[in-house]
């Protein structure tokens, strides 16, 4: 038996007046998901436990069978794993943004740009290299990532430090949060020395001359210790592979002991290489029991507030991911159980994540919801239409956490 989880990030939404009271998932053209809903079974899953912010990290942990309350320790350790950085057990990983601050003194600080002008990766690597040379030691290490997204591994104390994500404070006064860093012995010196070094760096001179925002400070957030996560094999006795354009997802996969498959041409957007992802997933199923395919586009366009693009992203997910996966699985002749789901809602009305239970559908090639006698797989291509949507699953059985979800998929229920 093979197991497949297909995730349309942020597909969930509310009914919209401009769609005559339908949600984007109801209004988009989704013949394959509707077919599967008619032949399979709908459920709901609480991917974001009470008390957690509805981040993609927490929600996707649930979709991989974890209980975030037992293992989630912050996003930076997951990103570290995706960068291939192994954390010592006593380390704290921080996401280290290169940002642009306007700073009169340590009292008046404004977050001009959380991305340091979307700094290019090569220039950023030069600056992060400088910081690591000047400030790095066994207890403090900088690692370069992509564009403005980097990593600081800290092995001294910082108890009680509460950080905030810089992108939530664009164009706002952040002196209060800046001074929190300065108050931590050791870390305060690193943060303020980094600002001095960055301000004087030749790369930033060039940026100023070109009219670009200088990356003149670091901003630390998303911190956490290495998560204590059992692998999928240890927890459920299955091997898995993960396909995603998003580093955070890959980091979760690393801790889950999955094979991370990097597909050329994936962008995390509408122009991603859907066919490449499907081909890689079908290939991976020859080596693994379970494959997890994550598609980022519906979430990105929801954050941008674009209805037309959301309809397009959902319809692409149906036509270019779910459909070809189903065809490929059917061709392989192997028995399979397939889940189509989202990690969380990203309503267009709010343009941010919401923590409602998500609808998902479970299709079993050997077990037909309408006709339990149809065991040979020959009757499931009949044109029976259902509907995969927030509304159609509104009264469906609610699973309370990821462990319950993966146990159901694996038939351990
Ligand atoms: Zn997400």
């Amino acid at each position: 038996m093979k197991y497949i989880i297909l995730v349309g990030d942020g597909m969930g939404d509310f009914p919209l007046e401009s769609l005559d009271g339908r949600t984007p998932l109801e209004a988009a053209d989704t013949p394959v998901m509707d077919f599967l809903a008619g032949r399979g079974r709908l459920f709901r899953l609480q991917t974001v436990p009470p008390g957690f912010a509805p981040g993609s990290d927490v929600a996707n942990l649930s979709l991989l069978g974890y209980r975030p309350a037992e293992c989630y320790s912050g996003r930076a350790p997951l990103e570290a794993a995706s960068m291939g950085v192994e954390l010592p057990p006593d380390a704290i990983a921080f996401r280290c943004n290169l940002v642009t601050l306007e700073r009169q003194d340590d009292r008046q600080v404004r977050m001009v740009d959380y991305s340091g002008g979307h700094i290019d990766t090569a220039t950023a690597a030069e600056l992060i290299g400088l910081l690591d040379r000047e400030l790095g030691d066994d207890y403090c290490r900088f690692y370069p990532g992509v564009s403005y997204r980097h990593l600081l591994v800290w092995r001294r104390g910082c108890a009680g430090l509460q950080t905030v994500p810089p992108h939530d404070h664009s164009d706002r006064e952040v002196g209060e949060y800046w001074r929190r860093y300065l108050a931590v012995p050791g870390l305060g010196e690193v943060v303020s020395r980094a600002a001095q070094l960055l301000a004087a760096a030749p790369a930033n001179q060039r940026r100023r001359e070109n009219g670009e925002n200088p990356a003149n400070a670091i901003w630390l957030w998303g911190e956490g210790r290495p998560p204590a996560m059992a692998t999928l094999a240890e927890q459920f006795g299955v091997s898995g592979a993960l396909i995603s354009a998003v580093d955070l997802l890959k980091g979760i996969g690393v801790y889950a002991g999955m094979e991370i498959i990097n597909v050329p041409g994936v962008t995390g957007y509408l122009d991603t290489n859907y066919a490449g992802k499907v081909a890689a997933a079908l290939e991976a199923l020859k080596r693994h029991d379970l494959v997890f395919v994550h598609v980022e586009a519906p979430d990105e366009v929801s954050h941008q507030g674009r209805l037309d693009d959301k309809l397009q992203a959902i319809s692409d997910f149906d036509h270019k991911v779910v459909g070809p996966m189903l065809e490929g699985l059917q061709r392989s002749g192997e028995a399979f159980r397939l889940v189509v789901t989202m990690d969380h809602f990203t309503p267009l009305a709010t343009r941010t994540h919401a923590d409602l239970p998500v609808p998902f559908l479970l299709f079993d090639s050997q077990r037909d919801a309408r006709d339990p006698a149809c065991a040979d797989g020959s009757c499931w291509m009949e044109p029976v239409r259902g509907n995969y949507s927030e509304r159609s699953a509104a009264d469906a059985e609610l699973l309370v956490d990821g462990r319950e979800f993966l146990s159901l998929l694996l038939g351990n229920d």
Side-chain angles (χ1 to χ4, degrees):
M1 181 69 81
K2 299 291 179 181
Y3 307 96
I4 303 94
I5 302 173
L6 305 177
V7 183
D9 199 303
M11 283 198 300
D13 213 311
F14 302 133
L16 295 171
E17 244 173 71
S18 55
L19 296 175
D20 300 323
R22 293 172 300 167
T23 67
L25 191 53
E26 288 177 303
D29 180 38
T30 56
V32 190
M33 293 196 281
D34 292 340
F35 166 81
L36 289 170
R39 283 291 183 174
R41 210 177 138 192
L42 292 173
F43 296 86
R44 291 175 303 147
L45 169 63
Q46 189 68 51
T47 51
V48 180
F52 280 79
S56 289
D57 41 10
V58 166
N60 283 284
L61 276 170
S62 295
L63 294 180
L64 279 166
Y66 293 93
R67 291 178 174 142
E70 290 173 0
C71 66
Y72 181 72
S73 63
R75 71 181 281 152
L78 301 171
E79 289 183 335
S82 81
M83 293 165 72
V85 175
E86 222 170 290
L87 299 174
D90 63 346
I92 295 170
F94 286 93
R95 159 64 89 77
C96 173
N97 275 43
L98 283 172
V99 299
T100 309
L101 296 183
E102 201 172 81
R103 204 156 53 94
Q104 315 300 335
D105 49 46
D106 290 330
R107 306 218 65 77
Q108 272 195 309
V109 183
R110 202 168 66 88
M111 178 64 66
V112 176
D113 188 340
Y114 70 88
S115 71
H118 277 88
I119 186 166
D120 65 277
T121 299
T123 308
E126 185 182 326
L127 294 172
I128 293 294
L130 168 76
L131 297 182
D132 194 55
R133 269 196 314 282
E134 296 294 326
L135 306 172
D137 58 30
D138 284 351
Y139 299 93
C140 170
R141 278 258 94 93
F142 289 87
Y143 294 90
V146 174
S147 181
Y148 58 88
R149 309 176 197 93
H150 310 283
L151 179 72
L152 172 68
V153 177
W154 182 249
R155 296 174 64 193
R156 298 189 182 96
C158 62
L161 174 64
Q162 295 221 331
T163 64
V164 295
H167 51 260
D168 286 351
H169 295 270
S170 290
D171 250 337
R172 291 199 213 147
E173 175 60 34
V174 291
E176 173 197 342
Y177 310 115
W178 176 255
R179 290 191 298 279
R180 289 183 187 173
Y181 301 131
L182 302 186
V184 179
L187 193 67
E189 285 79 63
V190 167
V191 168
S192 63
R193 280 279 291 139
Q196 287 169 3
L197 289 163
L198 290 169
N204 273 325
Q205 302 284 43
R206 294 200 301 271
R207 292 184 66 76
R208 279 189 216 93
E209 283 161 20
N210 295 337
E212 297 165 313
N213 280 336
N216 62 8
I218 58 171
W219 195 267
L220 307 174
W221 62 286
E223 67 277 11
R225 303 218 173 251
M229 280 168 64
T231 63
L232 279 184
E234 289 164 348
Q235 277 206 97
F236 297 102
V238 292
S239 76
L242 178 137
I243 298 172
S244 172
V246 177
D247 284 343
L248 198 57
L249 269 288
K250 294 180 193 176
I252 294 174
V254 169
Y255 276 107
M258 303 171 81
E259 181 188 353
I260 310 302
I261 300 177
N262 292 303
V263 176
V266 300
T267 61
Y269 201 60
L270 291 165
D271 58 355
T272 199
N273 179 7
Y274 290 112
K277 289 177 104 154
V278 169
L282 290 169
E283 197 54 40
L285 277 172
K286 296 177 184 165
R287 304 187 294 277
H288 296 286
D289 305 309
L290 182 148
V291 168
F292 186 95
V293 183
H294 169 262
V295 173
E296 173 72 359
D299 186 60
E300 289 292 321
V301 297
S302 302
H303 285 299
Q304 294 166 344
R306 296 177 195 268
L307 172 58
D308 284 356
D309 284 348
K310 185 156 191 175
L311 294 172
Q312 179 75 52
I314 293 171
S315 146
D316 283 350
F317 179 66
D318 187 86
H319 288 71
K320 298 180 179 179
V321 178
V322 187
M325 275 306 294
L326 189 57
E327 280 170 29
L329 289 162
Q330 188 193 15
R331 263 200 315 275
S332 78
E334 261 206 88
F336 64 91
R337 286 160 77 89
L338 168 73
V339 160
V340 177
T341 187
M342 59 189 76
D343 54 348
H344 51 72
F345 285 52
T346 309
L348 287 161
T350 58
R351 295 171 61 169
T352 188
H353 301 175
D355 61 4
L356 301 146
V358 302
F360 73 89
L361 72 83
L362 172 62
F363 175 84
D364 185 329
S365 69
Q366 292 183 318
R367 194 166 8 153
D368 189 301
R370 285 186 338 132
D371 178 9
C374 175
D376 65 356
S378 61
C379 64
W380 61 268
M381 283 308 289
E382 284 168 30
V384 174
R385 292 292 289 268
N387 177 243
Y388 170 61
S389 72
E390 302 85 345
R391 202 187 313 261
S392 62
D395 297 322
E397 184 182 338
L398 176 69
L399 309 190
V400 297
D401 65 29
R403 189 157 315 161
E404 210 180 324
F405 166 71
L406 212 65
S407 299
L408 173 84
L409 171 60
L410 299 178
N412 304 338
D413 49 324

